Amino acid sequence: MKNSLLLLIMFVGISVFALGNEIEEPVESDSTQTPKITFIELGSVNCVPCKLMQPVMEEIEKGYADTVKVVFHDVWTKEGKKYGKQYNVKLIPTQVFLDETGTEFFRHQGFFSQEEIEKLIDEKLKK
């Protein structure tokens, strides 16, 4: 079962630039203060593992509203494709975490659980 899911995720990732679905991209969070961490989700609203990330992103955005900015880019859209290239996305979903200076400090590919993201964020905020 794990191998089948992994193969599906890899297939979706390989297909990321081959497909060009025209879909509305969700709006970014618009926090007015400078976040300590920016959590960038690069995926698609039509990708199954990416859809599973939507509630995770919402919970992170709620739970860390003062310190974490959550941004989503649908890399299967014309507008979002540039972010897939900018962040060198090989498969989706991909999560990129930036510190307050905009420097990438962590990257993950595939579904990333809320618990694991919270551990990552909490550890980074301790430093």
Side-chain angles (χ1 to χ4, degrees):
M1 179 69 179
K2 276 186 176 178
N3 288 339
S4 297
L5 182 58
L6 183 58
L7 286 173
L8 174 65
I9 292 170
M10 289 175 60
F11 174 75
V12 169
I14 291 169
S15 303
V16 71
F17 295 113
L19 299 173
N21 298 334
E22 296 298 324
I23 305 162
E24 279 296 312
E25 185 170 337
V27 178
E28 296 179 8
S29 168
D30 60 346
S31 174
T32 55
Q33 68 183 43
T34 303
K36 295 188 184 294
I37 296 173
T38 301
F39 164 23
I40 303 171
E41 173 77 9
L42 299 138
S44 174
V45 295
N46 285 340
C47 154
V48 173
C50 303
K51 287 180 185 180
L52 296 174
M53 287 301 301
Q54 293 294 322
V56 172
M57 290 185 295
E58 290 170 10
E59 289 300 315
I60 296 297
E61 191 168 37
K62 285 180 202 170
Y64 293 88
D66 295 337
T67 54
V68 177
K69 179 179 181 180
V70 178
V71 179
F72 174 78
H73 295 294
D74 188 327
V75 298
W76 283 356
T77 65
K78 184 190 277 187
E79 299 81 16
K81 198 176 266 195
K82 66 183 174 188
Y83 297 105
K85 289 180 183 179
Q86 176 182 341
Y87 290 101
N88 196 27
V89 172
K90 301 291 183 209
L91 62 91
I92 60 172
T94 292
Q95 300 81 29
V96 176
F97 294 84
L98 310 175
D99 65 16
E100 55 197 359
T101 68
T103 302
E104 182 175 334
F105 68 88
F106 189 82
R107 177 180 290 245
H108 180 271
Q109 296 177 326
F111 177 79
F112 201 15
S113 74
Q114 180 178 340
E115 294 78 22
E116 291 299 312
I117 293 172
E118 287 175 349
K119 276 200 287 189
L120 174 71
I121 290 170
D122 291 344
E123 189 162 314
K124 181 67 175 174
L125 292 175
K126 286 181 191 176
K127 295 179 181 179

